[in-house]
Amino acid sequence: MSSFHDFTALTADGEPYAMSRHRGEHVLVVNIATECAFTPQLAGLQELHEQGLTVLGFPSDQFRQNPGSDAETAERCSTGYGVTFPLFSAVQVNGPSAEPLWQWLVAQRAGVLGGRISWNFTKFLIGPDGQVVRRYAPPVPPARIARRLSDDLR
């Protein structure tokens, strides 16, 4: 796979979702968790989504902070943080069982731990051409991403 647009993932409802539908758009891909110190970032991610940036949330319990089913995760995100952006079925983000999309993302932009996701709420900004533009560490708040993106688009 050579582009974000080449991938398909399963939504929290179990439906296939082709990333090619976002051709020509900036997209922020985030591994989320509902019981993490960074979980309040969901509200900021929702604000970005409402401002026109496509946000895609991929729950992962790889760090033991997202227990429960896909439906329970979606409910917690919706009722607790007003999330309306697309949520996907829980994935592995590291190791041999990592979702192919996540293997590709870390291969495109290694972090401080090299080709691994260090924690929940690692964020990848995808450009309109389907390539990774930037990787953001978990503590980087969505508001900073919004400022940076508006600076980059000027």
Side-chain angles (χ1 to χ4, degrees):
M1 305 279 187
S2 61
S3 164
F4 171 75
H5 301 134
D6 295 334
F7 292 91
T8 299
L10 289 179
T11 65
D13 296 330
E15 297 296 320
Y17 186 102
M19 300 307 154
S20 61
R21 69 182 6 178
H22 298 294
R23 209 175 294 280
E25 303 173 15
H26 279 92
V27 177
L28 191 67
V29 179
V30 186
N31 70 313
I32 66 167
T34 57
E35 295 183 4
C36 174
F38 297 123
T39 300
Q41 287 187 18
L42 288 169
L45 292 168
Q46 178 61 30
E47 285 180 35
L48 288 177
H49 186 67
E50 290 171 1
Q51 293 168 7
L53 177 63
T54 299
V55 176
L56 304 178
F58 286 81
S60 178
D61 192 37
Q62 200 153 20
F63 303 106
R64 308 277 187 248
Q65 296 187 325
N66 194 71
S69 68
D70 291 341
E72 290 168 327
T73 296
E75 178 66 21
R76 286 181 185 141
C77 291
S78 174
T79 59
Y81 299 95
V83 167
T84 61
F85 56 80
L87 295 175
F88 293 84
S89 186
V91 297
Q92 296 288 308
V93 294
N94 287 319
S97 298
E99 184 75 17
L101 171 60
W102 286 87
Q103 291 177 13
W104 181 82
L105 289 168
V106 298
Q108 301 308 301
R109 282 282 195 266
V112 293
L113 297 179
R116 293 183 51 79
I117 300 297
S118 62
W119 201 247
N120 302 307
F121 290 89
T122 298
K123 305 156 198 78
F124 291 88
L125 180 64
I126 310 299
D129 62 355
Q131 299 305 306
V132 177
V133 174
R134 188 168 277 127
R135 177 177 174 159
Y136 297 95
V140 174
R144 187 179 312 159
I145 295 169
R147 283 192 306 274
R148 193 109 189 237
L149 187 56
S150 67
D151 289 346
D152 288 351
L153 295 177
R154 282 187 197 159

